[in-house]
Amino acid sequence: MQKLQMVDLKRQYAKIKDQVDAAIQQVIDDTAFINGKPVQQFAEELQTYLGSKHVIPCANGTDALQIAMMALNFQPGDEVITPSFTYIATVEVMALLKLTPVFVDVDPKSFTMDVSKIEAAITSKTKAIVPVHLYGQSADMEAILAIAKKHNLYIIEDDAQAIGGHYTFADGTKKANGTMGTIGCTSFFPSKNLGCYGDGGAIFTDDDTIAANLKMVANHGQSVKYYHDVVGCNSRLDTIQAAILRIKLRQLDTYCSARRSVADFYNNAFANHENITTPFCASNSYHVYHQYTLVLDGVDRNEVQKLLEERGVPSMIYYPVPAHKQKMFASFDVADMELPVTDWLTPRVISLPIHTEMTEEELQYIASNFLEIIASLKK
Ligand SMILES: *Cc1c(COP(=O)(O)O)cnc(C)c1O
């Protein structure tokens, strides 16, 4: 058995090597490194895949979130409602733009925003809700859309971990993650579900005016060359990355199924265990398992991680410190916030290897060692 990894991109590349190598070579032959043809082609293909009217490629997922908030013209002091139980990028851009993140707790089962807590967090300064489709599972968008509509708020979906997944509304309508709110933002960081071979990101919207603003902000605030209407930034998807993403987009559904099969295997292996809670999958969410994250109770999570490592099984903690406890927010007066579920989950979550190329042998090795270690640690 090869050395186990959280994500194995080498084996994935091996399967598409000929196509990828040829696509990269083509970009070099064309020397169209910036805004070459594949960038627009990829944007159009992703539009079709998602069923979104506009896809604006950009440099990374963090930029996507920042550009979204700039394009909606949020001003310093505006409040944005978001979970603290997320990757820091979601809230870092709010701080950068001098917005005030207002944290709400998450649901202990789905790990996504607890929608029953949103309305109490709304004030006259609230501009938007930023739900995160954490670990590959859709946030409860039907409820979030209803609240946003009632209070006239924007929704910016952080879809960095859930591209390829979708949500089913009560009336049976299915919508791709990232296409339900005002704007959706994603990342093509290599380990993401649709990853490129460097940095990349994209922004989705169905609104023509917002799309024009997003493009302008991402391009130095200009819509006509050398005429700069607003302060923007420089955020582009490299042509080489777009060329790779075109190939990988055709595999995305297969990649998502592979991840779901890995999750099924683990779910069966760890079912009905007193110390392990397997990931809850809401019936209205097509979960694409960017991470396979368990909750451990009654055993020392950090000890489990150490013993796994000794047996060559990597694991990760996403995330060891929630946003509201990060030093960067020390001046925001949020550290004392009551987020009991976030604070309860943080020392208990653990993520096991999940990627598109896992073998039965690897899964068996990981699951049996994980169970043995937990049994050995139980008092
Ligand atoms: C990865 C990620 C981002 C940021 O994407 P980058 O491309 O790394 O900038 C934002 N939000 C979440 C939830 C992420 O997982």
Side-chain angles (χ1 to χ4, degrees), residues 99-145:
L99 314 175
T100 305
V102 175
F103 296 117
V104 294
D105 217 342
V106 289
D107 179 90
K109 283 161 76 191
S110 69
F111 309 125
T112 61
M113 237 172 171
D114 180 343
V115 293
S116 72
K117 302 277 162 61
I118 295 175
E119 282 200 285
I122 295 174
T123 74
S124 59
K125 290 183 182 167
T126 309
K127 282 282 157 26
I129 304 171
V130 180
V132 181
H133 304 312
L134 199 71
Y135 306 147
Q137 167 144 255
S138 318
D140 188 357
M141 290 306 292
E142 186 138 28
I144 293 170
L145 282 159

Side-chain angles (χ1 to χ4, degrees), residues 60-62 65 86-87 89-90 132 158 160-161 187 189 192 200 319:
N60 56 68
T62 309
L65 290 158
T86 179
Y87 179 56
T90 319
V132 181
D158 184 338
Q161 302 192 356
S187 162
F189 185 83
K192 298 281 157 89
Y319 295 91

Side-chain angles (χ1 to χ4, degrees), residues 61 71 92 104 249 275 303 316 341:
E92 183 183 32
V104 294
L249 179 60
N275 303 99
E303 195 63 24
M316 291 291 282
V341 177

